Amino acid sequence: MPYYLAKAPYWITRFGEMGIVLPMAAVLAVWMVASTRSLRPVLGWLVPLGLAIAVTTASKIAFIGWGLGIAALDFTGFSGHAMFSAAIYPVLAYTLTAHARNARTVHLAVIGGYALALLIAWSRVHIQVHSWSEVVSGFVLGASASAWTIWRSQYTHHGMPGRWALLGAVAWLSIMPLQAAPSRSHDMVTRLALELASHDSPFRRADMHKAGDKAP
């Protein structure tokens, strides 16, 4: 296999990093407030996103700190990359195309956002950092948040984003996965989990399966 194809999943997975997608979510939230002069649309965006983030973080802390997982499903917590991707990219795609004259353009853009999220979820399994149960559950959680936001946005009038917004998003996604430092979010969650659980070392996937093998 050519080198660039072998490395492709590692490049794709970076599109789901918190440090890359959250800044886009923040800019999108500011634009929602500026274009509608109301907090209601942005709350309809940030509340489901915040809940998805909280659930994902709690699942990781529960496993890292206390070993709470599901050995039969190889589940140690929701995939953050899959959740962030499914929660943010479809909303970004919808917002950038919501004023297109052809509704099909909007639908295709949203489908493209979910397709990108699925590709990122697949990459997490391919590079062996998550199981299928973790990426599927993370994707469903994030997709639920974005679907709610998109549904609510149909009843809200937003100003039309300028071409600079699309160009900015393209530039950000072209540069950051290649240039940004690797995300340290997992390390931060691990430190928090260890402090809360008063443990010196985190529970790992192998520990969960070892305990499962010993269970009667």
Side-chain angles (χ1 to χ4, degrees):
M1 178 182 294
Y3 177 79
Y4 65 89
L5 288 179
K7 289 296 182 181
Y10 295 90
W11 175 68
I12 292 170
T13 205
R14 297 217 61 194
F15 284 89
E17 288 185 5
M18 184 176 70
I20 292 176
V21 293
L22 272 188
M24 292 194 299
V27 171
L28 186 55
V30 171
W31 177 81
M32 285 181 177
V33 173
S35 66
T36 63
R37 308 293 182 182
S38 172
L39 288 177
R40 182 172 296 178
V42 76
L43 289 177
W45 159 235
L46 294 182
V47 169
L49 176 61
L51 287 174
I53 294 173
V55 170
T56 299
T57 304
S59 71
K60 292 178 178 293
I61 290 175
F63 178 76
I64 295 172
W66 289 273
L68 299 179
I70 306 175
L73 297 178
D74 198 18
F75 181 82
T76 65
F78 295 92
S79 166
H81 282 62
M83 182 278 295
F84 276 119
S85 302
I88 294 175
Y89 283 118
V91 177
L92 177 65
Y94 175 83
T95 303
L96 291 175
T97 60
H99 291 274
R101 294 181 180 180
N102 187 348
R104 186 181 180 185
T105 300
V106 182
H107 295 156
L108 289 176
V110 172
I111 291 172
Y114 284 116
L116 175 58
L118 280 172
L119 188 60
I120 294 167
W122 163 82
S123 74
R124 302 302 288 168
V125 177
H126 186 82
I127 65 177
Q128 300 181 352
V129 294
H130 276 299
S131 67
W132 279 111
S133 65
E134 293 160 0
V135 299
V136 170
S137 59
F139 178 88
V140 171
L141 180 61
S144 299
S146 60
W148 168 262
T149 300
I150 292 171
W151 177 73
R152 292 285 298 175
S153 294
Q154 297 179 73
Y155 306 99
T156 303
H157 176 72
H158 295 286
M160 184 179 297
R163 292 182 180 179
W164 62 267
L166 178 59
L167 293 175
V170 171
W172 179 265
L173 293 175
S174 298
I175 296 172
M176 293 305 291
L178 297 175
Q179 300 297 328
S183 174
R184 309 298 297 178
S185 59
H186 184 74
D187 294 338
M188 292 187 292
V189 172
T190 298
R191 288 197 296 270
L192 176 59
L194 294 179
E195 289 182 10
L196 292 174
S198 299
H199 289 164
D200 295 327
S201 59
F203 280 91
R204 302 188 184 278
R205 193 180 302 274
D207 300 325
M208 177 180 68
H209 288 296
K210 185 183 297 184
D213 292 339
K214 292 180 179 179

